[in-house]
């Protein structure tokens, strides 16, 4: 049932959409029917797959890089009050800047290639990663800290055997936010200046009024985003089997 | 085994100093089971944390096995009000935590952990995660984790207070049995007269704010003890009177 109902819902919406394009006689350059979108796929399967892989690669790379940058940054902030006071407001300010506004600057700085895309994605993703990691690191229950103190554990042991592991479910909350933002970041970056990727396909098809192709690219983006999200959720369930039940407990 | 001389603890809070303990003298002999009882806020938990070396006294002197306490010792274990199990570790692995932290031999530790788990009736649960166990079972795991340190001294901070009444009675009797098999020096903080009477050789009644030793009561009834015996009832009544004196 968990699989059947969403599929039925999806099919119903597609059916309504199809019906609407026929009943209201909507031109396909305004709103293409599902058939038009599918035929766009069929016409250019190799091209669309290639563009999807470009976007996917940028997204995954940017996402991973934002973990590499974000987690140590969060640990530094949590570890030192001074660093927290120095950099936390900056981080908030950085996050407040609309990323669309930065994208053109990145193109100027880093060119039309993959670098500007990946860096924009990092910029979009790093904030949720930092925030969730930092709050996870601060969420260690007092009695567990006291337990390790009573065993005269070193700070290193306290970190690796307790605080970091305890933070992981929180970290994953941030990662799940970040992975969806990463796809959005990739598309924005490709809109502004790119020679490949699904975002590039969409902006090009807009210029040539090939709305079906744009819809096809959007559908692919949605599928990619969903797959990435659930892939991450799967990793979380496998890696932290204790997390869900434990959350219910405390 | 444990000696406290004129121990005073003052916490410097934001709203001024809080006098938690004032001039506490206490001697606990080897293998003696001492219960500390008093109303909430009488500094019982602070007293335990001072002996554990988790807190430092403002004044006075604390020694364990003749040595002044400066930091937590390996031969002193601490059991908390809540089980304090690491949620990602199996039962066995939780019991082994002290072995890992101390860098001791794991294989030998594993064998001992299994023996201890059998002792408290948790044989067969080694690979379960804490959330799969009831509160009483979790606290038993916590007891095993304390015991694997082979502690000379066990400090217990209201370890059964978060459990339901039936499980509490069960665990008190179990602890009594463990203590008869593996005698240790125990300081057991509680606010339950029944628990204190069943478990302790001596009961220290603390008066609150700041905590002072109000009275020490000896319990001489033979073991194993169970609630509802006439000689224990008399001690319980005496304690109830003593506790009502110190709440004024």
């Amino acid at each position: 049932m968990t699989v059947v109902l969403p599929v039925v819902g999806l099919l119903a919406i597609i059916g309504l959409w199809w019906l609407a394009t026929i009943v209201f006689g909507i031109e396909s350059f305004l709103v293409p029917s599902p058939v038009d979108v599918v035929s766009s796929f069929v016409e250019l399967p190799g091209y669309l797959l290639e563009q999807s892989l470009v976007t996917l690669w940028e997204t995954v790379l940017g996402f991973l890089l934002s973990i590499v940058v974000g987690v140590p940054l969060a640990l530094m902030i949590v570890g030192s009050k001074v660093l927290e006071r120095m950099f936390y407001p900056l981080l908030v300010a950085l996050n407040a800047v609309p990323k669309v506004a930065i994208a053109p600057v990145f193109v100027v700085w880093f060119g039309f290639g993959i670098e500007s895309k990946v860096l924009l994605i990092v910029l979009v993703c790093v904030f949720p990663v930092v925030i969730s990691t930092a709050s996870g690191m601060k969420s260690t229950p007092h009695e567990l800290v006291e337990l390790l103190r009573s065993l005269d554990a070193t700070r290193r042991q306290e970190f690796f055997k307790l605080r970091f592991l305890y933070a992981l479910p929180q970290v994953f909350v941030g990662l799940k936010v970040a992975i969806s933002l990463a796809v959005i970041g990739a598309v924005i970056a490709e809109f502004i200046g790119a020679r490949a990727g699904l975002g590039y396909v969409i902006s090009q098809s807009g210029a040539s009024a090939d709305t079906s192709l744009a819809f096809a690219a959007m559908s692919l983006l949605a599928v990619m985003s969903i797959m990435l999200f659930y892939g991450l959720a799967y990793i979380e369930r496998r890696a932290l089997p204790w997390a869900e039940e434990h959350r219910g407990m405390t | 085994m444990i000696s406290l001389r004129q121990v005073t603890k003052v916490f410097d809070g934001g709203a001024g100093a809080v006098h938690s303990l004032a001039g506490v003298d206490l001697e606990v002999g080897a293998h003696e089971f001492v219960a500390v009882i008093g109303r909430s806020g009488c500094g019982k938990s602070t007293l335990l944390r001072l002996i554990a070396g988790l807190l430092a006294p403002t004044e006075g002197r604390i020694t364990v096995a003749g040595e002044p306490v400066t930091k937590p010792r390996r031969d002193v274990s601490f059991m908390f009000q809540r089980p304090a199990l690491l949620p990602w570790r199996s039962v066995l692995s939780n019991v082994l935590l002290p072995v890992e932290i101390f860098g001791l031999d794991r294989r030998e530790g594993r064998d001992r952990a299994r023996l201890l788990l059998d002792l408290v009736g948790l044989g067969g649960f080694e690979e379960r995660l804490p959330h799969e166990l009831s509160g009483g079972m979790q606290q038993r795991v916590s007891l095993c984790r304390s015991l694997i340190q082979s502690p000379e001294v066990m400090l217990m901070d209201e370890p059964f207070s978060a459990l339901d009444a039936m499980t509490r009675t069960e665990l008190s009797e179990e602890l009594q049995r463990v203590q008869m098999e593996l005698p240790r020096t125990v300081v057991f903080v509680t606010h339950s007269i029944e628990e204190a009477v069943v478990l302790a050789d001596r009961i220290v009644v603390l008066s609150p704010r700041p905590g002072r030793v109000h009275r020490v009561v000896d319990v001489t009834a033979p073991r194993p003890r169970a609630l509802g015996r006439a000689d224990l009832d008399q001690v319980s009544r005496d304690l109830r009177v003593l506790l009502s004196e110190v709440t004024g």
Side-chain angles (χ1 to χ4, degrees), chain B residues 84-135:
Chain B
L85 302 175
L86 303 183
W88 52 87
R89 283 179 172 244
S90 68
V91 165
L92 185 67
S93 167
N94 262 295
V95 175
L96 285 171
L97 183 73
V99 174
E100 273 176 45
I101 301 267
F102 298 163
L104 303 177
D105 182 60
R106 285 186 200 208
R107 184 173 301 167
E108 192 218 344
R110 204 164 293 141
D111 293 340
R112 294 213 312 118
R114 285 182 200 284
L115 282 179
L116 289 171
L117 286 167
D118 282 339
L119 181 70
V120 299
L122 282 178
F125 288 90
E126 289 88 352
E127 297 312 318
R128 300 294 186 88
L129 287 174
H131 69 79
E132 298 175 299
L133 307 183
S134 68

Side-chain angles (χ1 to χ4, degrees), chain B residues 178-206:
Chain B
V178 170
Q179 174 67 8
M180 286 167 74
E181 278 184 47
L182 310 167
R184 316 273 181 207
T185 307
V186 181
V187 181
F188 184 98
V189 160
T190 181
H191 54 243
S192 154
I193 291 176
E194 287 70 30
E195 258 172 35
V197 164
V198 168
L199 290 167
D201 302 317
R202 243 176 350 134
I203 300 172
V204 176
V205 181
L206 285 188

Side-chain angles (χ1 to χ4, degrees), chain A residues 141 143-144 146-154 157 161-163 165-166 241-242 245-246 249-250, chain B residues 49 54 71-73 76 78 80 82 84-89 97-98 100-102 129 131 138 145 149:
Chain A
E143 76 247 23
L144 292 182
E146 229 180 5
L147 167 70
L148 267 82
R149 298 260 158 88
S150 80
L151 296 171
D152 203 20
T154 60
Q157 286 172 326
K161 290 195 189 289
L162 177 61
R163 287 182 188 275
L165 293 171
Y166 205 91
W242 54 275
E245 282 77 15
H246 177 71
M249 233 171 59
T250 41
Chain B
R49 281 164 175 74
L54 289 167
K71 61 172 192 157
R73 297 165 58 106
V76 175
F78 201 105
F80 298 86
R82 301 219 287 165
L85 302 175
L86 303 183
W88 52 87
R89 283 179 172 244
L97 183 73
E100 273 176 45
I101 301 267
F102 298 163
L129 287 174
H131 69 79
Q138 291 182 13
R145 183 181 55 201
Q149 284 177 247

Side-chain angles (χ1 to χ4, degrees), chain A residues 18-187:
Chain A
W18 198 350
L19 199 67
T21 55
I22 295 168
V23 170
F24 301 111
I26 302 172
E27 295 285 356
S28 77
F29 72 86
L30 282 176
V31 179
S33 77
V35 180
D36 297 328
V37 175
V38 171
S39 65
S40 291
F41 274 122
V42 177
E43 276 167 37
L44 301 163
Y47 173 70
L48 281 174
L49 184 67
E50 205 176 297
Q51 303 313 311
S52 303
L53 287 179
V54 170
T55 306
L56 181 64
W57 177 232
E58 291 165 1
T59 306
V60 171
L61 210 61
F63 174 70
L64 293 179
L65 200 60
S66 70
I67 298 175
V68 171
V69 175
V71 170
L73 203 63
L75 298 183
M76 269 164 52
I77 285 174
V78 172
S80 147
K81 278 262 177 289
V82 176
L83 288 177
E84 181 173 359
R85 296 235 175 87
M86 267 169 78
F87 291 117
Y88 194 72
L90 265 171
L91 212 63
V92 174
L94 187 68
N95 189 52
V97 176
K99 306 305 175 299
V100 193
I102 299 177
V105 183
F106 273 22
V107 173
V108 173
W109 287 348
F110 307 109
F112 285 83
I114 189 168
E115 294 85 353
S116 57
K117 318 298 176 290
V118 170
L119 287 169
L120 191 75
I121 294 167
V122 172
L123 200 64
V124 174
C125 291
V126 85
F127 193 71
V129 173
V130 171
I131 294 300
S132 63
T133 307
S135 80
M137 292 298 296
K138 286 179 179 174
S139 72
T140 328
H142 182 64
E143 76 247 23
L144 292 182
V145 176
E146 229 180 5
L147 167 70
L148 267 82
R149 298 260 158 88
S150 80
L151 296 171
D152 203 20
T154 60
R155 285 188 65 111
R156 207 184 137 82
Q157 286 172 326
E158 189 179 312
F159 177 85
F160 283 108
K161 290 195 189 289
L162 177 61
R163 287 182 188 275
F164 186 68
L165 293 171
Y166 205 91
L168 283 180
Q170 280 277 351
V171 174
F172 265 94
V173 172
L175 293 186
K176 284 193 266 187
V177 173
I179 194 76
S180 311
L181 290 177
V183 177
I184 297 172
V187 173

